[in-house]
Amino acid sequence: MEGVSSKIKWALWLIWSGVFPAGLYYSYQFDPPSFDSWGLPLCLIALAVLFSFFPFTVDNTTIFIIHWINLAAFLTYGLFFEVIIMQMVLIPLLFRSGMNLKTIYRYALNSSMMLVISIIAGATYYFFGFSVTEDSLWKITAGAALYIMIHIIFNHFYLYFFSRIVKNGFPFFSRDTLFDYLATLLSMPYGLAFYFLLDQIGIAAAFYLGLPFLAVAIVLRLYNNSEQVNEDLGKAGRIGHQLAAQLEVNEVLDLFVEKLTELMPVDYAYILDVEQEDQKLTLLRRFENDKIESTNLAPVLKGEGISGQVWVSGEPVLHNKKIEWNEKVEGYMPRDIESILSLPIKRNSKIVAVLLVASKRKNAYRPHLVPIVDLLCSYFAVAIQNARNHQTTLTKSERCALTGLYNYRYFDERLGLEFEKLEKGNLKELSLLLVDIDHFKKINDTYGHQSGNDLLRSLASILHERIGDKGILARYGGEEFVVLLCDTPKNEALILAENIRSTVEQTTFKTYHDLSDKREAIHVEMTVSIGVSTSPEDTDDAQNLMRNADRALYIGAKRAGRNRVAAGV
């Protein structure tokens, strides 16, 4: 149970310190056991403890079937003996369900609960006139049914009201509750048969009924484990298809982490990218306590910590207790982690990344998950590579190969989209700057086209520095560049244009004389002319916005002497 305060924990231990000795004393005084020998009682205790180590899972619900032994013990030796058995069984049950030092208060809660419920069930059994010395089959069956029902109903109500006190959101009735009721009720006839056989043949009954029941429990566990493996494999296949459908790297990363949390308990997940040249792992994705966190953690060196060792060995690592891995950790690791699963992510037999997932619970990851998560990692590696290839292809189709800026095709699409926003009222204004290098043909003719390309790249760098994230910058063609500024009025666009013009004028550009024999370094000064137009002030059409800026550039700036900014009308 989560969210239990220190005050509640201390209160539970205080209640237990009063309930436990008083309950033992009362149950002994009320119904003291009578043993002919110690063989049979010890056999029942051993059998109950043994069965507590063999639960089985049905639809992700863990079921411990020990009430049939509990019932036989009560009918054979009375209330006090049944209380002792349940208290002894409680310890392995709690450890099997993940109790640790931080949650040891669960022993106080469950010990008190089981003791009180046993006494209530026993007192009710005797109140209605039933006796452990009954000869009537009907009476024995009716009494056993009453005893079992009180156990499961009171246990249910006790847990429900406690969860309400600690505000844990435990539902009054769920699928887990239904399975618990059915399993307990179905075990009652077996418990009655065990009681009758104990009365007839004594300790041998444990071999005739106990061992076959244990065998059935083991077979059910194996069956359910195989069912769980098949179910998890099916999930892995579906996740693989979903990953393959993603075309963005971030979408692949987020979906992979999301699906891991659906497949198994994950409180922390880290995906680390392999950098072969620097021999280190850098964080690609960091998931902690149900949310994505920043990746600003220090890189992990090869061979360092659990992830670095997985990179070196190329083999998965599974630890289900903190004591198993605590000394191997170097650097960052949340303190409340218990279980860890780390695997290499391979593509074409080469390790390209490392996955590390962790849980706050002990024994959170079953061994069968290792090959399944390994399969998922293979799907993930392919999906990431596909997304990166798609992104590279998309970038090449959107970018100018020379300057690295957006090309005109991409710009034209964005201009249409931004105009739609303007028409819908999502934007107030759109301003456009058309930038042209003055006398660029003369530069090419004098120094060569390669030198001209150097200057185009240098100007692109200045424009990118001045525009930043203020607008969309693209190479319009030749020596012309275009800038689209969203929600920017004309006066601000003119100020930005003037800033660009003066920066270019004051910059001395370095290139090489491509037409000379020695291709010596040279310094070139150049200027630009800029046309500015704004919508809806100048026009309400996307193409007219471009035409206005073009007219302003050539009529208002170029014809007026170049190296100036002009606004369209």
Side-chain angles (χ1 to χ4, degrees), residues 235-260 271 345 372-387:
K235 287 181 182 178
R238 291 190 292 273
I239 293 170
H241 289 301
Q242 291 174 297
L243 288 172
Q246 306 306 312
L247 296 177
E248 295 285 340
V249 171
N250 284 334
E251 290 176 358
V252 174
L253 289 166
D254 290 341
L255 182 64
F256 182 60
V257 171
E258 176 191 336
K259 294 303 176 181
L260 279 176
I271 303 173
I345 300 174
I372 292 173
V373 178
D374 189 38
L375 177 64
L376 268 182
C377 287
S378 299
Y379 288 137
F380 169 74
V382 173
I384 279 287
Q385 188 58 44
N386 289 342

Side-chain angles (χ1 to χ4, degrees), residues 62-82:
T62 302
I63 298 174
F64 296 90
I65 300 183
I66 57 172
H67 278 292
W68 65 280
I69 304 173
N70 177 35
L71 176 61
F74 172 75
L75 294 174
T76 304
Y77 292 114
L79 177 61
F80 180 76
F81 184 67
E82 184 268 346

Side-chain angles (χ1 to χ4, degrees), residues 126-181:
Y126 292 122
F127 175 80
F128 281 98
F130 296 106
S131 169
V132 294
T133 59
E134 293 283 357
D135 292 327
S136 167
L137 178 61
W138 181 88
K139 273 199 165 185
I140 293 173
T141 304
L146 175 66
Y147 181 78
I148 288 290
M149 286 303 298
I150 289 174
H151 261 281
I152 57 178
I153 290 173
F154 272 80
N155 180 66
H156 180 197
F157 275 87
Y158 192 101
L159 289 175
Y160 174 72
F161 284 113
F162 179 78
S163 69
R164 294 296 297 270
I165 291 172
V166 299
K167 300 178 181 179
N168 228 16
F170 183 77
F172 181 74
F173 195 83
S174 64
R175 185 176 56 186
D176 291 2
T177 309
L178 176 63
F179 281 140
D180 195 32
Y181 271 61

